[in-house]
């Protein structure tokens, strides 16, 4: 069995390999460690191995970890479902939110972002697989939403996030990622200064990097299977 540190090194090596294979600049893909359901000791081990960006899905689980690790230099990303009653704590405790898919939530995050902190970095979650069971704004509504969100003062729109329906074939995996990249390019052509494509997880990271991911969100491949835990 590999240790967490070894797995982290392996993932970094895979990212480097995919960057070079798809003619992406070295270092253009950021590794986000998805630490949802994991204990603080796992985060500490990853930190010791040089990992700085961590992502959480559930506010209640995240807050004790953020508090316990307040002395460390960590960039915290929120990637889970957003409810109105959770926005204040998210605006106060996180640096990034990847799962924004409606104006009302963005407005609350902007209003509730403390004045002494830099703007909260935001990605719009797009429902790229058109799966009614998945969260996210529809592709054709993304431009309009992005225009409105860009005007909010205390958040900074950075790009798009995609969470496609699982596919095993690497060619199939690339289709929704390509669609998300094209959508980002459309927004950039409208004059928006966006630099982030948050896409790719443990099972489809290579396909996402092939299509231009700038942030990959990796849980299982770093921390091991969540199967013994009750929620994913
Ligand atoms: C859990 C989760 C991930 C990580 O998934 P793995 O398959 O464990 O790498 C990435 N993004 C989101 C939004 C998630 O909820």
């Amino acid at each position: 069995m590999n240790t967490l540190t070894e797995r982290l090194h392996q993932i970094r090596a895979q990212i480097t390999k995919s960057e070079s294979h798809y003619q992406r600049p070295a270092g253009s893909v950021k590794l986000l460690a998805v630490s949802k359901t994991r204990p603080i000791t796992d985060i500490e081990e990853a930190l010791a191995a040089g990992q700085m960006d961590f992502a959480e899905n559930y506010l209640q689980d995240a807050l004790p970890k953020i508090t316990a690790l307040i002395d460390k230099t960590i960039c915290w990303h929120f990637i889970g479902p957003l409810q109105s009653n959770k926005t204040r704590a998210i605006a106060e405790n996180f640096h990034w939110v990847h799962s924004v898919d409606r104006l009302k939530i963005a407005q609350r995050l902007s209003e509730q972002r403390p004045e002494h902190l830099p703007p909260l970095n935001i990605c719009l979650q797009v429902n790229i697989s058109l799966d009614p069971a998945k969260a996210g704004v529809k592709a054709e509504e993304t431009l309009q939403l992005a225009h409105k969100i860009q005007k909010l003062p205390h958040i900074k729109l950075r790009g798009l996030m995609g969470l496609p329906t699982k596919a095993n074939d690497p060619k199939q995996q690339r289709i929704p990622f390509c669609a998300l990249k094209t959508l980002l390019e459309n927004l950039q052509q409208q004059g928006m200064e966006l630099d982030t494509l948050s896409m790719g997880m443990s099972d489809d990271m290579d396909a996402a990097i092939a299509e231009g991911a700038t942030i990959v969100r990796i849980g299982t491949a770093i921390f091991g299977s969540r199967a013994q835990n009750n929620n994913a």
Side-chain angles (χ1 to χ4, degrees), residues 2-21:
N2 289 336
T3 65
L4 197 162
T5 302
E6 283 164 348
R7 289 194 297 263
L8 199 48
H9 288 309
Q10 279 163 9
I11 298 288
R12 288 196 193 124
Q14 278 166 23
I15 291 175
T16 303
K17 200 170 150 201
S18 299
E19 283 172 343
S20 117
H21 188 247

Side-chain angles (χ1 to χ4, degrees), residues 152-187:
L152 298 171
H154 304 296
I155 63 181
K156 182 165 172 49
L157 185 61
R158 297 293 297 268
L160 304 177
M161 186 271 242
L163 186 62
T165 308
K166 202 170 157 44
N168 293 321
D169 171 33
K171 281 209 199 77
Q172 286 292 120
Q173 289 175 348
R174 284 179 66 160
I175 296 168
F177 293 146
C178 180
L180 195 66
K181 178 185 63 184
T182 304
L183 193 53
L184 184 81
E185 286 168 353
N186 290 345
L187 302 185

Side-chain angles (χ1 to χ4, degrees), residues 34 36 57 79 161 163 201-202 217-221 226 232:
V34 180
K36 63 181 175 195
N57 283 49
I79 61 172
M161 186 271 242
L163 186 62
M201 316 202 294
S202 295
R217 308 180 309 268
I218 309 296
T220 312
R226 284 182 299 273

Side-chain angles (χ1 to χ4, degrees), residues 83-212:
Q83 293 150 325
S84 292
N85 61 346
K86 304 281 166 62
T87 52
R88 180 175 299 280
I90 291 171
E92 288 172 353
N93 289 284
F94 285 82
H95 304 87
W96 282 75
V97 180
H98 294 231
S99 42
V100 174
D101 64 358
R102 51 199 195 277
L103 183 61
K104 186 179 158 218
I105 291 288
Q107 284 168 332
R108 291 178 68 91
L109 290 170
S110 180
E111 278 162 23
Q112 294 169 344
R113 180 69 169 169
E115 292 280 348
H116 67 278
L117 295 177
L120 184 62
N121 295 293
I122 298 287
C123 289
L124 295 185
Q125 181 172 353
V126 183
N127 189 348
I128 32 177
S129 304
L130 295 177
D131 179 347
K134 295 249 181 221
V137 58
K138 293 196 188 95
E140 62 269 26
E141 291 166 7
T142 305
L143 178 61
Q144 211 189 10
L145 181 61
H147 271 304
K148 289 180 184 155
I149 286 184
Q150 266 214 319
K151 300 199 180 101
L152 298 171
H154 304 296
I155 63 181
K156 182 165 172 49
L157 185 61
R158 297 293 297 268
L160 304 177
M161 186 271 242
L163 186 62
T165 308
K166 202 170 157 44
N168 293 321
D169 171 33
K171 281 209 199 77
Q172 286 292 120
Q173 289 175 348
R174 284 179 66 160
I175 296 168
F177 293 146
C178 180
L180 195 66
K181 178 185 63 184
T182 304
L183 193 53
L184 184 81
E185 286 168 353
N186 290 345
L187 302 185
Q188 288 167 331
Q189 279 155 16
Q190 301 280 323
M192 296 189 195
E193 282 175 34
L194 305 178
D195 59 9
T196 301
L197 265 182
S198 166
M199 58 188 198
M201 316 202 294
S202 295
D203 292 332
D204 54 17
M205 184 179 87
D206 181 73
I209 294 175
E211 295 296 345

Side-chain angles (χ1 to χ4, degrees), residues 33 37 43 54 70 137 198 201 207 221 229:
T37 77
I43 300 177
F54 292 87
I70 198 83
V137 58
S198 166
M201 316 202 294
N229 296 309

